[in-house]
Amino acid sequence: MILLVLGSTGLGILLGLIRVGTPGIFDKGLVWSLAFLIFVVGWEMGSELEMVKRLLKRGPRLLLVPLFSVAGSVVFGMFAGFLLDITPIQGAVVASGMGWYSFTGSFLSAQGWTHLGAVAFAANVLRELFTILFAPLLSRVSPIAPVASGGATSMDSTLGVVRVFSGREMGPVSFLNGFVTTLLVPPITYILSRLL
Amino acid sequence: MITSIFLPLAAGFVVGMIVKRKPKSIFFWISLLVLLFFVGYQTGSAVSDFGALYSVLKDAVVVALFAIAGSVAFAVLIWRKTTE
């Protein structure tokens, strides 16, 4: 599957580099495929609502983790903007993706921010990769650290490493964090993008 | 953009609540692969040379590391305050 993901992205990059096809068709394709992916993600989340309700009975304080995690990401993303060729708000928008690369990158590209979309796509792919690589170190700081690092991916692709390095008992916390973060990312990225 | 983001999310959420079953994973993977193709195309169009590619990767690495640091710092803070 990783090969398919790399192949699909690589083919797109190649065609983009040699400017094949009409850009308008690709722009529409991006918007419609993003809408369909978000529909599928929404469906999956709706089907897991009962599990989330059960997790929330363990304490609403669990909701504070994703809220603080997103806030921290956005604030530090702004700091990163001061060091780079992008503005602090652009840094915050990219960081607000929380690892959801297929949303943030395509959302910004569809808005016409193609360079920022490319940065957002790469930054959020790297966030997922760094979470997997740094999970052993992060879990020494606190068992919640790999969960926070994973962001939106902590409910799926990085859930496994969280369970291995933070302990099995952190699995449900990780899932809930990913679920809430995934709900938070579209509105926060949208609001921040209005400030660009 | 609201209609192409929030409407599908809400519609999918309602469908999931009603059917109480996850969508077949093939839907997710096909939509992801198609989307990544289009994102790749946009990225390829935006990145015209290796200098631009370096700029994208440099910005992406720094923002990714800062975003992780921020998330971890804030989340660990609230986790320690609420669990200790």
Side-chain angles (χ1 to χ4, degrees):
Chain A
M1 192 43 81
I2 287 175
L3 284 177
L4 279 175
V5 166
L6 289 175
S8 178
T9 313
L11 181 65
I13 290 174
L14 190 68
L15 293 181
L17 276 170
I18 55 177
R19 307 281 197 276
V20 168
T22 318
I25 294 171
F26 286 93
D27 291 344
K28 280 187 182 160
L30 177 67
V31 171
W32 280 104
S33 56
L34 175 63
F36 185 68
L37 178 75
I38 287 180
F39 172 78
V40 175
V41 170
W43 180 347
E44 191 165 337
M45 295 174 82
S47 69
E48 286 163 339
L49 196 60
E50 290 303 316
M51 190 205 286
V52 171
K53 281 182 186 166
R54 283 200 300 275
L55 284 173
L56 282 176
K57 283 181 185 158
R58 293 171 60 169
R61 71 184 168 83
L62 291 180
L63 283 176
L64 291 174
V65 174
L67 289 174
F68 273 72
S69 176
V70 172
S73 187
V74 169
V75 171
F76 275 54
M78 286 181 81
F79 291 154
F82 285 113
L83 304 174
L84 301 167
D85 300 332
I86 56 175
T87 66
I89 289 295
Q90 288 176 332
V93 174
V94 171
S96 73
M98 300 297 292
W100 190 359
Y101 56 86
S102 56
F103 170 74
T104 322
S106 47
F107 173 76
L108 292 171
S109 296
Q111 297 270 51
W113 298 92
T114 43
H115 175 80
L116 200 59
V119 174
F121 176 71
N124 286 288
V125 169
L126 287 170
R127 179 170 183 151
E128 185 175 326
L129 184 68
F130 288 158
T131 298
I132 294 166
L133 289 175
F134 299 151
L137 289 173
L138 289 169
S139 62
R140 289 186 190 175
V141 176
S142 166
I144 202 67
V147 176
S149 176
T153 69
S154 66
M155 70 185 284
D156 42 55
S157 53
T158 58
L159 179 59
V161 290
V162 168
R163 283 164 57 93
V164 168
F165 294 106
S166 294
R168 287 174 63 88
E169 67 282 359
M170 291 302 288
V173 178
S174 182
F175 178 85
L176 185 67
N177 179 73
F179 185 92
V180 176
T181 304
T182 304
L183 280 180
L184 290 174
V185 167
I188 289 175
T189 304
Y190 176 77
I191 291 166
L192 288 172
S193 74
R194 304 296 290 174
L195 303 174
L196 287 172
Chain B
M1 213 57 203
I2 287 178
T3 50
S4 61
I5 301 296
F6 298 109
L7 202 63
L9 187 67
F13 202 88
V14 171
V15 170
M17 279 170 64
I18 294 168
V19 301
K20 292 188 187 333
R21 235 184 10 210
K22 282 187 179 188
K24 286 197 162 98
S25 62
I26 187 89
F27 288 130
F28 173 78
W29 285 109
I30 287 177
S31 58
L32 180 66
L33 291 174
V34 172
L35 180 66
L36 289 178
F37 168 76
F38 286 117
V39 172
Y41 182 86
Q42 297 285 357
T43 306
S45 305
V47 178
S48 51
D49 54 63
F50 283 109
L53 183 63
Y54 171 75
S55 167
V56 165
L57 288 177
K58 181 193 72 179
D59 290 352
V61 169
V62 174
V63 176
L65 290 173
F66 268 73
I68 288 174
S71 283
V72 169
F74 278 45
V76 169
L77 187 77
I78 193 66
W79 182 254
R80 286 185 178 158
K81 274 202 180 296
T82 53
T83 53
E84 284 168 7

